[in-house]
Amino acid sequence: MAILTTSGRVRALSAGIERPGRPPVVLLPGLGAPGYLVDTLHGCAAATRSHLLDVPGFGGPGPLACEPEIEAIAGTVTAWLDRPSVLFGHSTAAQVAIAVAVRRPDLVQALVLAGPTFPPALRRLGPLSAAFLADLVHESPSALPGTVPHYLRAGPRRLLRMIRSAQRDAPERAMPLLRCPVLVVRGRRDTLSPENWARSLAGAAPDGSFVTVPGAHTFPARSGGSTSALITEFAEG
């Protein structure tokens, strides 16, 4: 059973119980749409206490937890963490997770980056739009209920602000600074996170590894069970 809690202005869906020797798992959604990671949350909760954060706050009514930009979200997540955790970030949230781990390495025991965005070639809206359309034809309709309502609530201005913030970010510069084990996961048909880009991020981390899974960019939406297994097995390893 998952319980929705609010800490300050951060909404979190939490499930599972604390287990000795197993750090909690904290899930960060891409582009601020937490709904598609609920199955992943429940899978992780079978192994340890797990939390799905609604940042920057598109998942519900009321004020945002923070501004819809990578650095602001990273600061909010850093302030929310109160113990060493396994941090999972998907899409733009992979960039958030990297920033948190650089800021507070004592709070991040392991890092899982799924479909990390954006390679230099996609840091302009034209090429990014083309890559998005190429990815879209491979996406599962199962991702829609967990993403579209949150995007509608956010509105185009906030979404564009968040995308442009992610395009200005350069996560490749931060990877060598990470002190924890890092797993980079990419969907085989993901055109928003090309294979050479994802592999290069894993290779730039002092303790990085890389794995390819079936699916496109939002693969966790249709494979929450296998995604959670990757997270918990990597954390235990």
Side-chain angles (χ1 to χ4, degrees), residues 19-234:
R19 299 180 186 274
R22 293 188 176 184
V25 171
V26 178
L27 308 175
L28 307 178
L31 212 57
Y36 72 101
L37 290 178
V38 171
D39 285 348
T40 302
L41 169 72
H42 286 291
C44 291
T48 187
R49 183 69 168 165
S50 301
H51 311 275
L52 171 56
L53 302 193
D54 177 17
V55 283
F58 299 158
L64 298 184
C66 59
E67 296 298 322
E69 298 189 354
I70 298 299
E71 284 298 312
I73 299 170
T76 298
V77 174
T78 302
W80 186 89
L81 293 173
D82 63 356
R83 68 193 67 186
S85 303
V86 175
L87 205 56
F88 170 91
H90 174 250
S91 189
T92 56
Q95 296 171 251
V96 172
I98 293 168
V100 173
V102 170
R103 290 183 182 198
R104 289 294 304 273
D106 57 308
L107 290 177
V108 182
Q109 188 160 317
L111 200 57
V112 181
L113 309 176
T117 48
F118 292 114
L122 298 185
R123 291 175 189 170
R124 292 181 293 119
L125 287 179
L128 177 60
S129 299
F132 170 76
L133 292 174
D135 179 82
L136 194 60
V137 299
H138 300 296
E139 291 289 356
S140 168
S142 61
L144 297 178
T147 55
V148 172
H150 308 306
Y151 296 157
L152 292 175
R153 187 176 292 117
R157 286 189 178 182
R158 285 172 170 169
L159 287 178
L160 182 59
R161 182 177 173 185
M162 194 167 176
I163 290 169
R164 295 311 297 263
S165 170
Q167 288 180 309
R168 291 192 300 269
D169 189 41
E172 67 273 17
R173 298 178 183 173
M175 296 302 292
L177 305 177
L178 298 174
R179 301 181 189 176
C180 63
V182 181
L183 175 64
V184 179
V185 187
R186 175 188 173 270
R188 189 170 291 113
R189 296 182 178 272
D190 187 352
T191 57
L192 295 171
S193 185
E195 183 173 356
N196 60 347
W197 162 251
R199 283 188 180 275
S200 71
L201 291 179
D207 185 6
S209 54
F210 173 80
V211 65
T212 298
V213 298
H217 188 61
T218 57
F219 66 86
R222 64 182 300 179
S223 56
S226 58
T227 302
S228 61
L230 275 174
I231 298 168
T232 55
E233 288 171 9
F234 179 68

